[in-house]
Amino acid sequence: QVQLVESGGGLVQPGGSLRLSCAASGSIFSINVMDWYRQAPGAQRELVARVTSGGVTNYADSVKGRFTISRDNAKNTMYLQMNSLKPEDTAVHYCYVEMKTTYYGAPLGYWGQGTQVTVSS
């Protein structure tokens, strides 16, 4: 069994910062990509940022220069540092992790439970 636990969401004023965490635990052999997605009310879930096993990062245009994704492989944990937050960043943020639980198994994707980020004055 694999579990993803997210933390760090909350209410922040425009221009403020938050740091999200996503910790993977359980039977983990290796982790490939780690992603942050978000879904605003009435909108589709969108990819915000990605970090590969080699540390290569990609960002949605809407968050470039404001958000930073990182991972600690020793802790199987991923982070999203969000600065200069805007009201349009308000959404439930989800982590998605692609991993193998055994040497011979195929990589599978797992979702976190989501954490609410609200940017409002």
Side-chain angles (χ1 to χ4, degrees):
Q1 291 287 347
V2 172
Q3 187 176 20
L4 298 179
V5 177
E6 301 175 23
S7 60
L11 172 64
V12 64
Q13 292 186 341
S17 298
L18 284 174
R19 188 190 194 212
L20 305 183
S21 299
C22 173
S25 61
S27 180
I28 300 170
F29 176 77
S30 64
I31 294 178
N32 298 337
V33 295
M34 304 182 82
D35 298 337
W36 284 100
Y37 282 78
R38 68 185 181 188
Q39 187 167 20
Q44 290 189 333
R45 192 171 296 190
E46 62 173 353
L47 178 63
V48 175
R50 166 172 291 172
V51 58
T52 69
S53 57
V56 177
T57 58
N58 288 287
Y59 298 92
D61 288 342
S62 59
V63 307
K64 281 181 181 177
R66 300 188 297 122
F67 290 11
T68 302
I69 189 171
S70 61
R71 60 191 281 174
D72 184 335
N73 292 327
K75 297 180 179 180
N76 291 331
T77 300
M78 168 177 64
Y79 306 96
L80 185 68
Q81 178 65 45
M82 304 184 294
N83 298 328
S84 302
L85 282 161
K86 305 176 181 179
E88 50 263 44
D89 294 318
T90 296
V92 178
H93 286 63
Y94 299 91
C95 64
Y96 174 84
V97 177
E98 184 182 272
M99 69 178 81
K100 296 177 62 175
T101 56
T102 64
Y103 177 80
Y104 294 104
L108 296 176
Y110 298 84
W111 289 95
Q113 80 282 4
T115 184
Q116 177 69 46
V117 171
T118 302
V119 184
S120 175
S121 55

